């Protein structure tokens, strides 16, 4: 349940991150009757997965899998959810973990807001919608997206002109322009970090000129274009609303590259690019689709077959590293590519939309958040090669892409493992009188 | 629709002051937004058109027109109606009274 009031009451486990890994870990623990506090820095739970169109290699609808998990966690009597709340740091002392959190103002009293969106309809300002990766428009006060949880309006102070139209429109007088940032601390028996990953900047490689063309897009932007309720309702290129006739995917555009400081493989790009190409071939049946790759890493269950299916569907796979991307006339792009399978012949190829597979990078700074050094790749260190969800701090566990780039299936597996480690840790430290270290306090979720 | 109380007005005032201290002023961006939106709405008054056609009619860059159309679709004031070659056509769902008057056609 979403609780508008931060409370310092102790909980069994604090799960940091409300993406698929955090949701799964929270549900696994709450189903064992542990009292869980789930904190999410965005204004809705769901993480990256709720924004995806479909998943690989099964082409299942992504939100159809994520939404029930979000709902189960949101309505679970043993899970309390704090959105717009960021982890500052975890302070581990003998026997206790103090989790320092910061709740950003949403300028809405969630106890009063009924999610009717009348404020949103009344708001006169729109700005590039972050959920639509900037491609759509969002009002300055809005429910973040259609299946967001909580279904509560959030005001964006950077774009609001403070005209008061939302206050006048709100039937429950829920808008709070005097809301302030709050810092508070929660005592937890154990902590699970499921903070996910970030993506490095699209313009990181100057030779790709991403800042000079709106038709060089990120894979997440393409996910939104492919989503049934995406910003344009169909796949169009952002520069001029044209139905693209020739789309290129450039793999390893932000990872496996020492010069970018990202020498590792991001592990998900080959497969999501194949998936996106497959979905595009459905959305744009006559489009010419080309994937430029160094090598295809289809190592998971069903992945190789997925790759072979894509080739059979007529998607072109070209082995070769793209050296340059230059904007040319008609908003098109020219790719300079060395064709490895044609003796290294260099060719200029023209496309009208290019998708760059950005590198997956860490978002959590272990030094700041935990006071311990990161692993060489910048992600959380895994000191135990067998118990991979343990961190350098006793009682603090981690799951999903916080430990390194990985796909949804692996993130969910790790979330289960981290929940198990946390449960074992709590049970081992519990006094004989309590049942496996579970808090006997009533469910910690009470609406103000 | 409720009226603003004194408490609301005081909170709004404090909100504005606090933001001013932080150096943020979204007023300019909001004014530009309204101007552009009006230009797209008025260009649409001449009938269904593609993004490049609307860009020429409104004097806005095509990507801005597309972005405004995305917002207008979301909030129900525009819709896709047909296809012209590689470009979908958009039409206004506003009644003539609601939409701003069309700008004089550019030579």
């Amino acid at each position: 349940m979403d609780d508008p009031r931060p409370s310092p009451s102790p909980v069994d486990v604090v799960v940091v991150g409300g993406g698929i890994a955090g949701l799964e870990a929270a549900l696994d623990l709450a189903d064992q009757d542990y009292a869980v506090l789930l904190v999410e820095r965005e204004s809705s739970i769901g993480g990256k997965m709720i924004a995806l169109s479909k998943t690989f290699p099964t082409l299942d609808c992504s939100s159809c899998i994520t939404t029930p998990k979000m709902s189960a966690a949101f309505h679970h009597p043993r899970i309390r959810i704090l959105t717009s709340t960021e982890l500052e740091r975890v302070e581990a002392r003998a026997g206790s973990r103090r989790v320092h959190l910061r709740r950003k103002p949403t300028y809405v009293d969630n106890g009063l807001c009924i999610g009717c969106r009348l404020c949103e309809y009344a708001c006169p300002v729109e700005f590039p919608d972050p959920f639509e990766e900037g491609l759509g428009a969002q009002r300055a006060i809005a429910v973040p997206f259609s299946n967001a949880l909580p279904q509560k309006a959030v005001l964006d102070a950077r774009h609001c002109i403070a005209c008061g139209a939302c206050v006048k429109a709100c039937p429950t007088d829920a808008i709070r322009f005097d809301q302030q940032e709050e810092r508070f601390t929660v005592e937890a028996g154990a902590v699970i970090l499921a903070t996910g990953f970030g993506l490095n900047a699209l313009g990181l490689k100057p030779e790709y000129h991403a800042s000079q063309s709106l038709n060089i897009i990120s894979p997440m932007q393409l996910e939104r274009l492919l989503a049934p309720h995406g910003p344009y309702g169909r796949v169009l290129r952002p520069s001029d609303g044209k139905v693209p006739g020739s789309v290129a995917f450039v793999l390893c555009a932000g990872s496996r590259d020492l010069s970018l400081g990202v020498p590792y493989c991001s592990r998900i790009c080959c497969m999501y690019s194949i998936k996106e190409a497959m979905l595009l071939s459905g959305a744009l049946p006559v489009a010419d689709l080309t994937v430029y790759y160094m090598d295809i890493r289809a190592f998971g269950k069903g992945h190789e077959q997925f790759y072979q299916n894509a080739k059979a569907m007529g998607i072109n796979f070209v082995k070769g590293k793209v050296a340059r991307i230059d904007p040319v006339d008609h908003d098109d792009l020219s790719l300079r590519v060395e064709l490895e399978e044609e003796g290294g012949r260099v060719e200029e190829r023209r496309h009208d939309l290019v998708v760059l597979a950005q590198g997956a990078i860490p978002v959590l700074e272990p030094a700041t958040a935990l006071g311990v050094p990161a692993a060489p790749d910048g992600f959380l260190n895994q000191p135990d090669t067998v118990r991979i969800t343990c961190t350098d701090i006793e009682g603090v566990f981690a799951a999903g892409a916080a430990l390194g780039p990985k796909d949804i299936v692996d993130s969910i597996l790790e979330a289960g493992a981290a929940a198990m480690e946390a449960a074992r840790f709590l049970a081992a430290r519990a006094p004989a009188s309590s049942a496996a270290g579970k808090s006997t306090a009533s469910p910690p979720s009470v609406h103000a | 629709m409720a009226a603003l109380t004194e408490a609301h007005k005081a909170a709004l005032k404090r909100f504005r002051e606090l933001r001013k201290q932080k150096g943020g002023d979204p007023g300019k961006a909001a004014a530009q937004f309204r101007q552009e939106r009006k230009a797209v709405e008025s260009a649409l008054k001449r009938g269904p058109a593609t993004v490049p056609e609307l860009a020429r009619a409104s004097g806005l860059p095509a990507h801005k027109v597309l972005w405004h159309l995305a917002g207008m679709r979301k909030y129900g004031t525009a819709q896709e109606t047909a296809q012209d070659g590689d470009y979908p056509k958009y039409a206004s769902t506003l009644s003539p009274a609601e939409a701003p008057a069309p700008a004089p056609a550019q030579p």
Side-chain angles (χ1 to χ4, degrees):
Chain A
M1 234 178 254
D2 176 65
D3 190 335
R5 289 179 314 174
S7 143
S9 63
V11 294
D12 294 326
V13 185
V14 171
V15 175
V16 185
I20 191 63
L23 290 170
E24 190 68 30
L27 282 167
D28 283 351
L29 286 160
D31 285 347
Q32 297 174 64
D33 210 29
Y34 287 103
V36 177
L37 172 67
L38 177 66
V39 295
E40 166 58 48
R41 69 179 170 152
E42 298 295 337
S43 46
S44 167
I45 53 172
K48 288 206 177 48
M49 193 178 167
I50 193 63
L52 303 181
S53 54
K54 298 200 175 178
T55 59
F56 63 77
T58 47
L59 296 183
D60 287 313
C61 156
S62 186
S63 64
C64 307
I65 303 168
T66 321
T67 313
K69 290 275 180 205
M70 290 163 67
S71 185
F74 192 74
H75 296 290
H76 201 293
R78 296 295 277 168
I79 299 177
R80 188 174 149 216
I81 292 176
L82 285 174
T83 46
S84 302
T85 303
E86 223 166 340
L87 172 74
E88 294 211 302
R89 65 197 163 89
V90 180
E91 197 186 340
R93 290 185 190 157
S96 92
R97 271 135 294 276
R98 290 162 60 82
V99 184
H100 300 280
L101 300 166
R102 181 165 59 97
R103 188 160 212 224
K104 295 169 276 183
T106 62
Y107 304 98
V108 172
D109 183 337
N110 278 7
L112 291 173
C113 177
I114 54 170
C116 66
R117 299 178 69 192
L118 287 175
C119 55
E120 185 175 343
Y121 300 132
C123 177
V125 183
E126 289 174 25
F127 67 98
D129 186 351
F131 183 72
E132 301 291 3
E133 302 288 328
L135 298 175
Q138 175 78 297
R139 299 240 161 120
I141 186 165
V143 173
F145 50 94
S146 60
N147 43 3
L149 271 179
Q151 274 284 308
K152 306 287 181 188
V154 176
L155 184 141
D156 190 302
R158 286 162 306 167
H159 299 94
C160 170
I161 53 168
C163 64
C166 51
V167 180
K168 289 184 202 156
C170 180
T172 61
D173 194 16
I175 320 275
R176 294 282 175 271
F177 273 96
D178 49 5
Q179 215 176 66
Q180 302 296 327
E181 182 178 282
E182 290 174 81
R183 285 189 152 82
F184 56 98
T185 301
V186 178
E187 295 269 351
V191 175
I192 294 180
L193 300 172
T195 46
F197 65 102
L199 292 158
N200 55 20
L202 209 55
L204 205 58
K205 284 173 90 71
E207 63 271 31
Y208 286 176
H209 299 110
S211 60
Q212 290 176 29
S213 172
L214 293 163
N215 295 335
I216 299 180
I217 64 170
S218 71
M220 284 303 278
Q221 285 182 315
L222 184 54
E223 291 288 340
R224 293 313 303 154
L225 293 180
L226 287 162
H229 301 288
Y232 312 143
R234 60 190 296 177
V235 181
L236 300 174
R237 61 179 200 175
S239 82
D240 61 355
K242 182 186 170 193
V243 178
S246 169
V247 183
F249 291 84
V250 178
L251 300 191
C252 302
S255 39
R256 298 179 71 193
D257 191 333
L258 266 174
S259 71
L260 302 176
V262 186
Y264 55 84
C265 166
S266 291
R267 291 173 52 119
I268 49 177
C269 322
C270 286
M271 297 313 292
Y272 72 59
S273 297
I274 294 171
K275 173 199 75 178
E276 288 182 345
M278 275 184 164
L279 296 174
L280 270 182
S281 79
L284 312 168
V286 294
D288 161 49
L289 306 169
T290 309
V291 179
Y292 296 97
Y293 68 96
M294 296 214 278
D295 48 79
I296 293 290
R297 296 189 165 177
F299 49 83
K301 184 170 177 167
H303 290 188
E304 179 62 23
Q305 189 58 49
F306 194 65
Y307 170 41
Q308 298 303 333
N309 291 352
K311 285 207 273 194
M313 282 168 78
I315 294 160
N316 304 310
F317 286 83
V318 174
K319 189 170 173 69
K321 184 88 174 135
V322 174
R324 288 179 67 91
I325 304 174
D326 290 296
V328 290
D329 53 349
H330 302 295
D331 293 350
D332 289 351
L333 297 147
S334 180
L335 272 64
R336 189 177 177 83
V337 57
E338 186 183 344
L339 305 167
E340 281 189 34
E341 283 165 345
E342 293 183 34
R345 186 167 61 83
V346 176
E347 198 176 74
E348 289 279 340
R349 292 186 164 200
R350 198 175 167 120
H351 297 278
D352 50 16
L353 186 69
V354 174
V355 188
L356 294 185
Q358 296 156 289
I361 54 171
V363 282
L364 184 88
E365 282 181 34
T368 319
L370 296 178
V372 297
D377 59 6
F379 289 90
L380 275 162
N381 191 32
Q382 292 167 291
D384 192 319
T385 49
V386 178
R387 295 167 64 193
I388 56 164
T389 61
C390 294
T391 68
D392 288 305
I393 307 283
E394 192 191 36
V396 178
F397 307 94
L403 290 168
K406 60 181 58 74
D407 67 13
I408 291 165
V409 174
D410 286 354
S411 295
I412 291 172
L413 281 172
E414 274 183 10
M420 186 50 107
E421 288 285 1
R424 186 163 79 167
F425 177 77
L426 291 170
R429 288 163 16 94
S433 57
S434 83
K438 286 163 197 164
S439 140
T440 51
S442 59
S445 48
V446 184
H447 275 276
Chain B
M1 188 178 273
L4 289 182
T5 64
E6 286 309 310
H8 288 142
K9 285 179 192 164
L12 274 165
K13 196 174 167 210
R14 272 200 305 277
F15 175 83
R16 283 192 209 102
E17 282 167 359
L18 231 108
R19 193 172 52 195
K20 212 172 175 185
Q21 283 171 20
K22 286 183 189 164
D25 179 18
K28 265 187 200 159
Q32 193 190 346
F33 161 75
R34 279 195 298 273
Q35 204 183 355
E36 290 174 1
R37 178 61 55 92
K38 251 189 196 163
V40 176
E41 283 171 352
S42 110
L44 273 174
K45 248 194 153 179
R46 291 191 210 126
T50 65
V51 171
E53 286 165 357
L54 290 167
R56 278 192 295 275
S58 64
L60 293 172
H63 69 93
K64 285 246 176 167
V65 171
L66 180 61
W67 180 79
H68 279 281
L69 287 168
M72 291 166 74
R73 279 185 73 251
K74 178 174 176 180
Y75 293 106
T77 59
Q79 63 184 16
E80 197 185 308
T81 55
Q83 181 96 11
D84 181 2
D86 286 337
Y87 294 89
K89 282 191 154 195
Y90 295 89
S92 171
T93 59
L94 295 171
S95 65
E98 291 170 298
Q106 287 177 1

